[in-house]
Amino acid sequence: MEVVSLVNGCSGNTAGKVIICKAAVAWGPGEPLVIEQVRVDPPQKMEVRVKILFTSICHTDLSAWKGENESQRAYPRIFGHEAVGIVESVGEGVTEVAAGDHVIPLFNGECGVCRCCKNPNTNSCEKLGVDPTKSTMILDGKTRFTTADERRQPIYHFLNTSTFSEFTVLDSACVVKIDSEAPIKKMTLLSCGLSTGVGAAWNTANVEAGSTVAIFGLGAVGLAVAEGARARGASKIIGVDVNPQKSIIGKQLGITDFINPRDSDKPVHEKIMEITDGGVDYSFECVGNLEVLRTAFLSTYIGYGTTIMLGIHTSPKLLPLHPMELFSGRKVVASVFGGFKGRTQLPHFAKQCMEGVVKLDEFITHELPFDKINDAFQLLMDGKSLRCLLQI
Ligand code: APR
Ligand code: ZN
Ligand code: ZN
């Protein structure tokens, strides 16, 4: 098969050829990513090859990179699932996108034909839903990435997307076309963090005007919940975070009250009950910590309060609830990708973002060249960034 190297910036027609380009490869849990040349195969049947323009790092990349979930350990691997790009070429049978289209990668795909995709009450997809244990393409169980040296070692995929690469191959169920007029850089946020948070408030909780909300963990995901709740007219939005700096950015994004659990010995749920006369209508867990999940549960109003879980928890762990506690009427539900069906509903959300329904700029706290990806990981680990955009 013909090979074209883009390492020195040469371009031209690359369709049907193997592309050699740069990617950030993870060789082992917690090891710094290595920017190196990789081979990217052409897209096969119902696949799409995308040139990534911008990518950013979400906490899920961080957890996977650290190897916190033992079932995810496949190396070498290309992480990354929050990005925006341009279709370079499409495989046999792909009709919904074409070369040149601006697209958002979807870690939670939408095949459109499975029973879940046909059900309006879920955004799960039985074929290409989010699955951190999956590390190859579903068509043939193989990777489309290999090392550029003569060993041609397979490099595994991550979350259907693997965006820490100049080019990546995705199933066509895992890309959605967006308006070419949309501000491409900011659209990166819609690929995970912003959609996950705003959608959890709008689609999963369906926050009503005047309702009260508590958000645990004010990273990009939690703050996107705050934006979603603010846009819906929530009367009180309580932010809880152990990092005191988060109160400053939180106040810019709809947080009305801030609680740092480390500031007093009083349990956080008791404080929330005081502020809200008995508990919030909705609480959101955006940390991935079981104790926090329990506090979020106890912070809602008895009888109908709902806790929405967004944080990713390491395995093997079980819910910290006694089954009888659910007879109180409090509910716990999880939200994946904000409940959005990616291909059918994200274009409308992108339009709402362009119209200014939710703020975008505040979420992009840093920008770095792709080569500095390890610095971007550090910024997130240190709690200094919400999203650091990497230009590839
Ligand atoms: N109590 C309250 N806040 C906490 C606690 C705690 N015990 N521990 C950590 N936090 C805060 C951090 O200070 C940080 O502000 O949670 C926030 C997490 O934010 P990020 O690391 O920026 O993560 P984000 O990308 O927003 O993702 C949050 O959602 O999608 C999932 O896997 C993702 O589990 C992660 C969560
Ligand atoms: Zn994410
Ligand atoms: Zn499906």
Side-chain angles (χ1 to χ4, degrees):
M1 192 178 288
E2 225 183 306
V3 177
V4 53
S5 169
L6 298 185
V7 173
N8 297 317
C10 80
S11 57
N13 186 14
T14 48
K17 299 173 189 167
V18 172
I19 290 177
I20 295 183
C21 65
K22 65 180 174 181
V25 181
W27 285 91
E31 288 177 27
L33 303 183
V34 182
I35 304 280
E36 61 185 70
Q37 293 179 26
V38 297
R39 293 165 59 96
V40 186
D41 287 343
Q44 304 296 302
K45 193 174 174 187
M46 297 309 285
E47 293 176 355
V48 179
R49 190 162 59 182
V50 173
K51 173 160 179 39
I52 299 293
L53 298 178
F54 294 94
T55 186
S56 47
I57 302 165
C58 163
H59 204 109
T60 309
D61 296 307
L62 202 59
S63 312
W65 167 70
K66 285 184 187 163
E68 283 180 352
N69 188 331
E70 60 282 1
S71 61
Q72 298 178 12
R73 294 186 176 181
Y75 297 94
R77 199 167 194 186
I78 296 177
F79 289 118
H81 63 285
E82 198 175 81
V84 72
I86 294 183
V87 175
E88 173 269 341
S89 63
V90 300
E92 184 194 330
V94 176
T95 52
E96 289 190 13
V97 292
D101 284 348
H102 292 187
V103 289
I104 290 178
L106 299 169
F107 64 87
N108 187 46
E110 183 185 356
C111 77
V113 295
C114 75
R115 192 161 157 184
C116 286
C117 280
K118 286 183 179 161
N119 185 323
N121 301 319
T122 176
N123 69 339
S124 288
C125 170
E126 290 165 50
K127 268 175 85 181
L128 285 146
V130 59
D131 179 0
T133 63
K134 187 150 54 87
S135 52
T136 53
M137 301 304 288
I138 62 162
L139 180 73
D140 54 8
K142 294 189 176 148
T143 73
R144 301 288 174 264
F145 299 112
T146 43
T147 55
D149 59 15
E150 59 288 349
R151 286 179 303 153
R152 301 278 158 82
Q153 193 178 344
I155 303 175
Y156 293 103
H157 295 251
F158 177 64
L159 289 190
N160 295 326
T161 46
S162 288
T163 61
F164 295 162
S165 177
E166 217 174 332
F167 287 84
T168 189
V169 176
L170 310 96
D171 193 286
S172 58
C174 297
V175 289
V176 57
K177 181 178 169 176
I178 48 160
D179 188 343
S180 60
E181 300 291 310
I184 190 118
K185 202 193 239 181
K186 295 180 200 175
M187 288 294 117
T188 309
L189 299 167
L190 275 66
S191 188
C192 178
L194 193 82
S195 307
T196 298
V198 173
W202 290 0
N203 305 322
T204 315
N206 197 8
V207 169
E208 309 92 351
S211 54
T212 54
V213 168
I215 303 164
F216 293 78
L218 301 181
V221 172
L223 289 168
V225 173
E227 256 309 277
R230 184 199 57 77
R232 278 286 177 91
S235 62
K236 217 169 233 325
I237 306 174
I238 304 166
V240 182
D241 202 298
V242 288
N243 178 348
Q245 297 297 323
K246 297 295 174 117
S247 79
I248 302 160
I249 180 77
K251 299 254 159 84
Q252 291 167 28
L253 289 162
I255 298 290
T256 57
D257 301 70
F258 179 78
I259 298 174
N260 183 343
R262 292 178 180 161
D263 280 351
S264 103
D265 291 335
K266 189 167 197 162
V268 171
H269 68 273
E270 287 181 15
K271 278 193 199 161
I272 291 178
M273 289 198 159
E274 264 172 32
I275 302 174
T276 56
D277 196 19
V280 287
D281 300 315
Y282 304 100
S283 68
F284 295 83
E285 200 275 352
C286 310
V287 179
N289 176 309
L290 287 183
E291 272 176 45
V292 175
L293 181 62
R294 179 156 183 84
T295 305
F297 177 77
L298 296 174
S299 302
T300 61
Y301 202 76
I302 286 271
Y304 66 86
T306 304
T307 298
I308 295 96
M309 186 183 82
L310 293 91
I312 306 291
H313 295 253
T314 53
S315 58
K317 296 271 170 66
L318 298 176
L319 271 182
L321 297 179
H322 190 285
M324 294 302 282
E325 289 180 296
L326 292 172
F327 283 126
S328 70
R330 288 170 167 148
K331 301 180 201 68
V332 183
V333 294
S335 181
V336 172
F337 197 49
F340 285 114
K341 282 182 185 283
R343 285 201 299 160
T344 48
Q345 296 178 332
L346 216 61
H348 177 63
F349 180 52
K351 195 162 165 276
Q352 288 177 298
C353 289
M354 285 165 71
E355 288 164 356
V357 177
V358 290
K359 293 178 187 165
L360 300 180
D361 294 336
E362 285 76 359
F363 289 90
I364 303 172
T365 53
H366 297 76
E367 292 187 45
L368 285 174
F370 184 52
D371 297 0
K372 300 277 183 212
I373 190 164
N374 289 304
D375 296 351
F377 265 79
Q378 196 62 48
L379 283 168
L380 189 65
M381 279 190 278
D382 294 344
K384 291 187 177 147
S385 65
L386 291 179
R387 285 298 186 258
C388 176
L389 283 197
L390 299 162
Q391 181 161 15
I392 304 197

